[in-house]
Amino acid sequence: MGLIELIIVMAILTAVLGAITISFTSATRSETNVSHRQQAEANARAALTRMREDIHCSYYVQAVAPNRDGSGNVIPGFSLSLTEFANQCAAVDTTAGSASCGTGAGSSCVFLQWCTLPDPAHPGSFNLYRNNSTCDGTSGVRVASDIVAPATGWPQNAAISPTPASWAGNLWPASRACPTSYLPTQAVDLAVNPDATGSPNETYELKDEIVLRNAGRCTGAAAVKSSPSLSVSAPSAGTTGTAIGAGSVLATMTGSSGTNATATITFSVFGPSASAPATCSGWTTVGTATPAGDGSYTPSAGYTPASAGTYWWYASSLGDSNNNAANSTCPATASTVVTNAKVSPTLSVSAPGAGTTGVAIAGSSITAALAGSATPTAAITWSVFGPSAAAPATCTGWTAVGTASPAGDGTFNSNAGYTPASVGNYWWYASFPGDSSNNAANSTCPATVKTVVAAPLPDTFLVANPGTQTAGTAFNVTITAILPGGGTDTTYTGVKTIVFTGPANAPNGTPPTYPATVTFASGVGTASITLFKAASTTLTATQAAITGTSTAFTVKAGAQKALQYVTSAAGTTVACPAGNLVVGNGGSLTAFVAVIDNYGNLAANGASALTITITKVSGGGNAPSPATLTVAASANPAVTSGSSLLKLPNGSPADTPYRASSGALTTVTCIVQR
C-alpha cells in the first residue's frame, strides 16, 4: 500500500471514529437529561403528596399571597400559609405554640408555610420549600425544583388583593366555592420541566383539589367570603426626629365576617414625597395589628420621620378563610406633613461701655450675635433700660431701640441708635421671638451688658495754624469751638473772654499782645495777635474749661535795626548786656557783632555783605583788633564771621568804651572796665 492510500484510509478512520464519539456523547447527554427529568417529576409527585398531607391536616388556610421581605416589600414567588392543630396529625408535625398560627387554636396550633422562590441557577424556574416558620429559602426543606409555568400559564387566584403585578411562582389557583355541609378545599397546580427552554412541550403538570379535613364544614354564609373595607388615618402634622406614636395611627375595618376576621393588618408608610405614589408596594413597614372583626386598630410600632416632607400611609390585610383581602385607598390619601424640628439658637448682645448724655449711641455699635439657628425668618429686637444702678429682674417693658433681620448665624447691628438723656447705667437686651424652624432666644436676663452714660465733656478749641509770621507784625488767628464728639459747636456764640498763652516775650522783654475778648459766631471766632519773639511756637486759647492749642508755627525776626555784641558766631548770648563789662587788669573781651531787629531778635542779612567797624571811643584800652568785621551776604543769623579783641593793658588804664557801627543801623557801645 502506498503513502497516498495510507493517508486516505486514515482520514476515513478519523471521520468514522468522530461520528461514533458524537453518537456516544449525545446518548450520554440524553440519558442524563432523562434521568434529571425523571428525578424532577418524582420530586414533584412527592411534594404534592406531602402537601396533601399538610392540607388534609390543616383546619385553616391563612392566605395565598405574594412573598414579602422583612420590610414588607413584595418579592418574587408565592406562599401558602396553613394552620394545623398540634398533635392532630402526628405524622405531619408535632410542634405546638407558634405565634403565627392565626385564628382558632391559640397555643395548641402549628403554623406551616409552603413557598416558591426563584432558582438563581435557572432563570424563570422556581424551587418549592416547606417550613414551620416564615419561608425565606434559608431554612426549611426544599422539596421540589425546576418548577415552571403550566402550558396555560401561571395560575391566578382572585382572592389575592391587590392583584399582583406578576403571577410567576404561584401554585395555588382560586379554589372552587364551598357548598353547604362540604369541607373547604385548596387547589394546587404544579408543573416541572428541567429544560423548559430546550423542550418546552415536555412540561410535567400535576393538579389537585385538596380537602382541609380538620376544617369546619361550610355553611351557606361561610361559602362566600366577606369583603371588608379598610381605611387608615394618621396625624396631619409631625416634626423630624419625633416619633409618630403607634397610638395615633389607626386602621379601621368595616364589613368583615365578624370576630373570626383575624388576618394581620400591616401598616406601611412612604415618604417624604410631595404626592402619593401610584402603587403601594415597596413601602416601609411600620408595624402590624391583629384584628378581631370590625373596629379600629393601631400598629405594633410607631414611626420616626428623619426628613421634612409629606409621608403617605397605607394599611393592608391579606384576608383569611372568611374574608377577602382589604386595603386602604391606593394611591394613598392619608398623609402626615412633617416639618423640621425647631432648633434652639443662642443670642448675646453688646453695646459701647461708655456714652454721653445727648450724644447718640449709633446703631452700628449695638450688636447681637445669633448662633445655632436654622434659616431664621424672625427679626432680632434690641431694648434698653435706664438710667438704673442695677439691671431689672425682668426684661419686659423696656424702650425698643431697633431691629435686624438675620439670614442665618452671625453678628447683626440695630437699624437704629439710642440717645440717652440722663447720666447713669443703661442696660441692654436683645430678643428673637422664634419662627417655624427656631425656638425663641434672648440675651441674658437680668441684663449684664451696660453703657455707663456720663455728662458731656466740654468743647475744645481748634486753634488754626497761622503760618509763618514776623515779629512785631499783627496777624489773625481763627478759633473754632469743637463738640466732644467732633464737629463745630454752632451754639458757641457771642463775646468770649479768651486767655492766650504759649509764645514768649521778645529778647528785649516786649510781651505778646492779645485781645481781651473774641467774638464768636456759630462756633467760629477770629483774634488779632502780635508776637515779638522770633521762634517756633504754639498758641493756646482757653475759656474756662474749653481749651485748644495750635500746631507749631514760626515767628521770624523783623527788619535789621541795630547792632549787638555777642559771644559767638551763633549770636545766642549777648556779650555786654548791661553796656559795660568788667574784664580785670589786663583782661579782654572777644566780641562778635550781630544784627538785631527792633525787639532784640537776631535778624537775617540781605543779599550783600555787611561791614562792621569797631572804634575805641576813649580810655586806656588797646585799639580793637581787628577794627573791621564782616557779616556775610544772606547770613542767618546776621552775625560777623569773625571776632574782635577788645583788651585793657596791665596797669591802671581808664575804662574804655568800644563802639560798633554800620551804616544806618543803631550802634552798640560796650565800656570795658578793669
Side-chain angles (χ1 to χ4, degrees):
M1 180 182 293
L3 178 60
I4 294 175
E5 289 83 355
L6 181 60
I7 292 173
I8 293 172
V9 170
M10 291 297 293
I12 294 172
L13 182 60
T14 298
V16 171
L17 290 176
I20 294 173
T21 300
I22 292 171
S23 176
F24 275 116
T25 300
S26 176
T28 300
R29 185 181 299 113
S30 177
E31 183 178 358
T32 300
N33 289 342
V34 170
S35 175
H36 190 177
R37 183 175 300 280
Q38 290 174 344
Q39 185 62 51
E41 293 172 357
N43 290 343
R45 289 191 295 272
L48 182 58
T49 299
R50 187 62 186 273
M51 197 182 303
R52 286 193 186 103
E53 293 175 352
D54 286 343
I55 295 175
H56 285 330
C57 190
S58 299
Y59 69 86
Y60 172 52
V61 174
Q62 285 194 29
V64 174
N67 291 334
R68 293 180 181 268
D69 61 17
S71 298
N73 302 314
V74 174
I75 59 175
F78 282 76
S79 299
L80 170 68
S81 300
L82 303 173
T83 304
E84 305 172 352
F85 285 111
N87 300 315
Q88 184 74 26
C89 302
V92 176
D93 203 302
T94 59
T95 303
S98 172
S100 303
C101 289
T103 61
S107 62
S108 65
C109 69
V110 174
F111 172 77
L112 183 67
Q113 192 173 67
W114 287 76
C115 71
T116 58
L117 294 171
D119 185 348
H122 299 89
S125 295
F126 287 79
N127 295 325
L128 179 62
Y129 294 83
R130 179 184 184 275
N131 205 337
N132 287 99
S133 60
T134 301
C135 192
D136 58 8
T138 61
S139 60
V141 179
R142 186 177 72 175
V143 294
S145 58
D146 301 312
I147 298 172
V148 297
T152 56
W154 290 105
Q156 298 185 13
N157 191 325
I160 298 176
S161 178
T163 302
S166 171
W167 292 99
N170 183 38
L171 309 184
W172 302 281
S175 300
R176 61 187 175 183
C178 181
T180 301
S181 300
Y182 281 73
L183 292 172
T185 61
Q186 176 60 56
V188 179
D189 190 349
L190 173 62
V192 295
N193 189 341
D195 186 16
T197 302
S199 303
N201 295 325
E202 296 184 12
T203 299
Y204 180 72
E205 184 176 5
L206 299 172
K207 289 185 177 182
D208 201 353
E209 190 89 15
I210 305 170
V211 175
L212 279 72
R213 293 177 179 173
N214 286 319
R217 294 188 175 273
C218 298
T219 64
V224 178
K225 290 185 177 182
S226 297
S227 295
S229 297
L230 194 63
S231 62
V232 67
S233 64
S236 60
T239 57
T240 56
T242 301
I244 299 172
S248 64
V249 181
L250 293 175
T252 300
M253 178 181 286
T254 58
S256 68
S257 62
T259 57
N260 62 351
T262 57
T264 298
I265 298 173
T266 300
F267 296 79
S268 304
V269 68
F270 183 90
S273 175
S275 58
T279 61
C280 296
S281 59
W283 291 24
T284 299
T285 298
V286 174
T288 60
T290 301
D294 289 354
S296 295
Y297 302 93
T298 59
S300 55
Y303 178 72
T304 302
S307 303
T310 302
Y311 288 75
W312 303 90
W313 295 89
Y314 180 68
S316 60
S317 170
L318 296 178
D320 50 37
S321 59
N322 300 301
N323 297 270
N324 291 315
N327 310 285
S328 60
T329 304
C330 185
T333 56
S335 64
T336 300
V337 178
V338 174
T339 56
N340 286 318
K342 289 186 177 183
V343 299
S344 296
T346 59
L347 189 67
S348 60
V349 68
S350 66
T356 304
T357 57
V359 178
I361 300 171
S364 59
S365 67
I366 305 169
T367 65
L370 183 67
S373 65
T375 317
T377 57
I380 297 171
T381 300
W382 284 266
S383 303
V384 68
F385 184 91
S388 174
T394 61
C395 296
T396 57
W398 292 24
T399 301
V401 174
T403 62
S405 297
D409 289 351
T411 300
F412 304 92
N413 298 102
S414 170
N415 64 355
Y418 177 73
T419 302
S422 304
V423 172
N425 294 337
Y426 287 76
W427 302 91
W428 294 93
Y429 180 68
S431 60
F432 173 76
D435 49 36
S436 60
S437 300
N438 300 270
N439 291 315
N442 308 288
S443 61
T444 304
C445 184
T448 57
V449 176
K450 66 180 179 180
T451 299
V452 179
V453 175
L457 297 172
D459 286 0
T460 57
F461 281 143
L462 174 64
V463 181
N465 188 311
T468 301
Q469 300 297 326
T470 301
T473 301
F475 60 91
N476 290 331
V477 173
T478 301
I479 305 170
T480 304
I482 302 299
L483 291 167
T488 301
D489 184 356
T490 58
T491 65
Y492 193 80
T493 301
V495 177
K496 306 294 181 181
T497 300
I498 305 296
V499 175
F500 293 93
T501 57
N505 293 345
N508 68 357
T510 304
T513 60
Y514 304 117
T517 61
V518 176
T519 300
F520 284 80
S522 298
V524 180
T526 301
S528 178
I529 294 172
T530 304
L531 303 181
F532 298 96
K533 178 176 176 59
S536 175
T537 187
T538 59
L539 180 65
T540 299
T542 303
Q543 190 266 318
I546 306 175
T547 188
T549 301
S550 73
T551 56
F553 60 95
T554 300
V555 178
K556 65 182 181 178
Q560 294 178 345
K561 182 65 178 178
L563 299 177
Q564 179 175 270
Y565 286 114
V566 293
T567 61
S568 68
T572 55
T573 304
V574 178
C576 192
N580 61 294
L581 182 68
V582 177
V583 297
N585 186 28
S588 63
L589 168 64
T590 300
F592 291 79
V593 180
V595 181
I596 60 176
D597 66 6
N598 215 23
Y599 310 105
N601 300 300
L602 292 172
N605 197 20
S608 300
L610 186 66
T611 300
I612 308 294
T613 301
I614 302 176
T615 305
K616 184 177 80 167
V617 178
S618 62
N622 296 338
S625 178
T628 302
L629 299 176
T630 302
V631 177
S634 304
N636 188 15
V639 180
T640 58
S641 57
S643 61
S644 179
L645 181 66
L646 310 179
K647 180 174 176 61
L648 296 180
N650 290 326
S652 302
D655 293 346
T656 304
Y658 292 91
R659 179 185 297 119
S661 61
S662 179
L665 297 176
T666 301
T667 63
V668 62
T669 299
C670 180
I671 301 173
V672 179
Q673 300 173 323
R674 182 170 62 85

